[in-house]
Amino acid sequence: MTENTNKSALLGRRDVLRAAAAGALAIAGSSLFSRHVLATPETAARTLSKLTGGGTAQEGKVFLKLPEIADNGNTVPITISIDSPMTEADYVKAVHVVAEGNPRPDVVTFNLSPSVGKAVISTRMRLRETQNVVVAAVMSDGSVYFTKKMVKVTIGGCGV
Amino acid sequence: MAVTNPRVKVPETAKKGDIIQIKTLIFHDMETGIRKDKKTGKLIPRMIINKFVCSFNGKEVFSANMHRAIAANPYFAFHARVRESGTFDFTWTDDKGETVKASRKIAVT
């Protein structure tokens, strides 16, 4: 019991340190050390629009299962489900996963055929830092649907 | 390619028209290309599996174009609707163009 209390006290101190470090970084980020090597929501949006063919995307139909807090940014599980009947006439053609805060925004593109039957896909990805993950689905009629979700990353995926 | 046997999970049997789940896992470091060698300070060149294809009886069902942000040991879980017996073929291709293949048979009644 005493050990536990000690541990939590220790964690508390670390949290304070971490918060201080984050504050310092934020100040640095606003001046010289801009995150020029990392993608921004704008570059991510550009990448996405290039991937989806530049059409206007609507929010919806895409659902994400992502941890709210990812302890390890090196392997973050993601499950994507898309509301589609997956028939020859109406199916999901492609799914693009984009990370707004990684050095390179593109993560993966899935190409689907009607024989997939059910548009539910799981994989694991790397996330450099706390950021939005954007997933866009291109339907067989050319329409694009997207959704985004914020993931808090405790330890960043090293070198992504 | 410095990889071991991929692990693939496909049900052995299914009913006609069923949607089955397929899971694949392959062991690979997925070197991102922006990590530095701690001794020399030089960038370690990118070496990832960039393409995964799953086909059924020769026809592509599902594929993935991977970039550097896919985690080490790429894992995919996806689905397929089966209407006839046949073979699922899986191919992974890395940056050097080397491939690893696996296949699984399914009996559909």
Side-chain angles (χ1 to χ4, degrees), chain A:
Chain A
M1 198 53 207
T2 33
E3 228 171 77
N4 276 345
T5 3
N6 279 344
K7 215 184 237 171
S8 64
L10 204 76
L11 274 176
R13 217 174 300 148
R14 276 194 196 149
D15 285 345
V16 171
L17 280 176
R18 202 176 288 151
L25 268 178
I27 295 162
S30 61
S31 59
L32 266 175
F33 295 90
S34 67
R35 302 181 309 155
H36 64 281
V37 286
L38 297 184
T40 58
E42 290 74 42
T43 52
R46 258 206 308 278
T47 307
L48 209 54
S49 118
K50 210 154 89 187
L51 286 168
T52 54
T56 45
Q58 309 162 57
E59 204 153 353
K61 285 201 182 187
V62 183
F63 303 95
L64 301 183
K65 207 173 120 192
L66 264 164
E68 262 176 46
I69 299 170
D71 289 332
N72 182 0
N74 266 318
T75 170
V76 182
I78 176 171
T79 299
I80 305 158
S81 12
I82 298 144
D83 181 10
S84 164
M86 293 308 281
T87 58
E88 296 282 339
D90 183 5
Y91 65 98
V92 182
K93 248 191 340 194
V95 180
H96 305 282
V97 182
V98 169
E100 285 186 349
N102 274 0
R104 285 283 304 272
D106 34 9
V107 176
V108 65
T109 293
F110 298 110
N111 308 300
L112 282 68
S113 69
S115 1
V116 161
K118 186 164 121 184
V120 179
I121 308 160
S122 303
T123 188
R124 297 173 192 146
M125 62 181 175
R126 298 185 206 253
L127 294 175
R128 167 77 160 245
E129 55 180 28
T130 298
Q131 57 180 285
N132 276 323
V133 173
V134 191
V135 176
V138 184
M139 307 298 181
S140 49
D141 65 357
S143 59
V144 181
Y145 290 88
F146 79 99
T147 194
K148 61 167 113 183
K149 199 172 170 196
M150 169 71 85
V151 183
K152 284 198 177 113
V153 179
T154 324
I155 304 165
C158 90
V160 184

